[in-house]
Amino acid sequence: KIWILMRGSKEVVGTLRGFDDYVNLVLDDAVEYTPDPNDNSKFIKKELETEILLNGNQIAILVPGGNGPPEDSLAAGGAS
């Protein structure tokens, strides 16, 4: 598992499958966290159904073994 903080405010957690010299990442079993537009202290959780490719130019921080934002920061009803 790896927790990725993207430029802006999006965060992604997933299983790292591959990367290249430009830090483009391929993830499986990814979950995307975006700020709740009604309350920026809360996140909306969205489970992604397919393998994803993240552009290395948009990655700010990599946290190996990270599990994402704390569960108490998730917006009510935000999980899908």
Side-chain angles (χ1 to χ4, degrees):
K1 286 271 190 199
I2 190 164
W3 179 15
I4 299 129
L5 284 71
M6 307 293 290
R7 284 181 163 184
S9 52
K10 187 183 296 186
E11 300 179 18
V12 179
V13 175
T15 304
L16 181 63
R17 292 292 174 216
F19 62 94
D20 64 11
D21 293 340
Y22 301 100
V23 195
N24 296 315
L25 304 178
V26 177
L27 300 176
D28 281 338
D29 305 321
V31 178
E32 177 183 74
Y33 298 91
T34 53
D36 185 340
N38 300 319
D39 180 359
N40 281 339
S41 68
K42 302 285 185 187
F43 286 93
I44 297 173
K45 178 179 177 181
K46 178 181 176 187
E47 294 192 26
L48 305 175
E49 301 292 323
T50 62
E51 175 179 85
I52 64 167
L53 171 66
L54 296 177
N55 183 325
N57 287 332
Q58 297 302 312
I59 295 172
I61 299 173
L62 299 172
V63 183
N67 292 318
E71 288 295 320
D72 63 354
S73 69
L74 297 179
S80 59

